[in-house]
Amino acid sequence: DVLMTQSPLSLPVTYGESASMSCRSTESLLYSDGNHYMDWYLQKPGQSPQLLVYFASSRASGVSDRFNGSGAGTDFTLTIREVEAEDVGIYYCMQSLYTPYTFGQGTKLEIK
Amino acid sequence: VQLQESGPGLVKPSETLSLTCTVSGDSLSGHFWSWIRQPPGKTLEWLGVVNDRSSDYSPSMQTRLTISSDASKNQFSLHLNSVTAADTALYFCARTTVGGHHDSWGQGILVTVSS
C-alpha cells in the first residue's frame, strides 16, 4: 500500500496567521494524464470529512481561496491563509492513484 | 446530493455487518460510490467502491467484504462478514469521482462490534 505521511501531527496557529502542513507519499502520485491524484480533506469536530483540494491543487466547489494546495511527485503542501476559527479540525491527505486509496494520519489544526 | 447511512449500531463478533447508503439528489448511475471507515481516534480507511458495472475492494478487506448497489432504490450497501472488535468504527459512505476524490459524504454511522 502507498504510505501517506503527514507533518506536523499538531499545528497550533494564531488567528489571522498562515498555516502550512505537509504530506509525503511513498510513490509518485503523478499519472500520465498530467494530474497528481492527491486530495486534501478537512474533518471538523463531530462532522464527516469534506473535500478541500483535489488533483493536488484544484479547490473543490465552495472552498475558500484561503486554501491552497501545491506540490508534485511525492511531496505536497496545504497552506491556509489567514486562519479562521472555522478552520479548526483534522486535515487528511489521501492518494487515489493506487488502490487501496490511502489516507495520512492527519494534521490537527488548533488555535493558540 | 445527500447521502445517509443506515443499519445496526451494534453487531456481535463473528456476525455480518450490513449497512445501506441512501442517495438523494443524484442518480447512482454514472458515478462511483465508496465506503470508508474511521476507528475511534484513528485515521480514515478506504474499504471499497462500486459503480454500475463493478466493485473494487481494499485487499485487506477483500475476503470479507461485499459492496453492491441497487439503482431502483438509489442505494448501495456494505456487507462485512466475520466481524471482530477491530471492525468497530464510524462508517461513512461517499460519492467518488472518476478522479478518485470523495466529493460528498454521509454523516457516518457508528458501529460497535461487541457481544
Side-chain angles (χ1 to χ4, degrees):
Chain A
D1 297 359
V2 175
L3 182 64
M4 304 293 282
T5 303
Q6 292 185 243
S7 62
L9 297 183
S10 178
L11 183 56
V13 183
T14 301
Y15 285 126
E17 291 192 344
S18 291
S20 185
M21 61 192 74
S22 171
C23 180
R24 178 169 290 178
S25 61
T26 53
E27 300 283 342
S28 173
L29 301 182
L30 176 62
Y31 188 52
S32 55
D33 63 2
N35 290 313
H36 286 86
Y37 281 63
M38 210 291 291
D39 314 319
W40 289 97
Y41 297 86
L42 166 59
Q43 186 173 30
K44 296 181 180 181
Q47 296 186 19
S48 54
Q50 59 185 92
L51 178 67
L52 295 176
V53 171
Y54 62 95
F55 290 154
S57 60
S58 296
R59 269 188 300 274
S61 177
V63 173
S64 169
D65 62 3
R66 296 185 298 105
F67 292 87
N68 184 58
S70 62
T74 61
D75 292 298
F76 302 91
T77 301
L78 179 69
T79 301
I80 309 169
R81 179 172 47 85
E82 298 172 359
V83 168
E84 301 178 358
E86 64 181 19
D87 301 335
V88 165
I90 302 176
Y91 290 78
Y92 294 99
C93 60
M94 187 203 86
Q95 67 80 22
S96 56
L97 184 57
Y98 306 94
T99 56
Y101 299 165
T102 46
F103 292 85
Q105 67 272 54
T107 290
K108 186 174 185 178
L109 186 143
E110 52 196 17
I111 303 298
K112 284 182 184 175
Chain B
V1 58
Q2 291 188 320
L3 298 90
Q4 179 68 58
E5 304 89 349
S6 60
L10 181 64
V11 181
K12 290 181 168 54
S14 79
E15 294 190 344
T16 297
L17 163 62
S18 295
L19 298 174
T20 297
C21 183
T22 301
V23 178
S24 56
D26 195 6
S27 170
L28 284 191
S29 298
H31 294 290
F32 295 85
W33 306 91
S34 291
W35 285 99
I36 297 157
R37 71 180 181 181
Q38 185 174 37
K42 294 187 177 181
T43 189
L44 300 153
E45 179 185 13
W46 177 82
L47 301 179
V49 64
V50 67
N51 69 354
D52 299 349
R53 295 176 296 279
S54 64
S55 54
D56 191 14
Y57 305 115
S58 172
S60 66
M61 309 297 294
Q62 198 155 5
T63 59
R64 299 195 292 134
L65 179 63
T66 301
I67 299 176
S68 57
S69 62
D70 185 340
S72 67
K73 295 181 180 179
N74 227 36
Q75 296 176 333
F76 63 104
S77 299
L78 170 150
H79 301 280
L80 183 65
N81 60 38
S82 304
V83 297
T84 69
D87 295 309
T88 293
L90 188 57
Y91 285 77
F92 296 100
C93 58
R95 187 177 70 179
T96 302
T97 69
V98 173
H101 42 275
H102 313 295
D103 63 355
S104 295
W105 295 64
Q107 66 185 24
I109 183 169
L110 179 61
V111 178
T112 301
V113 178
S114 175
S115 56

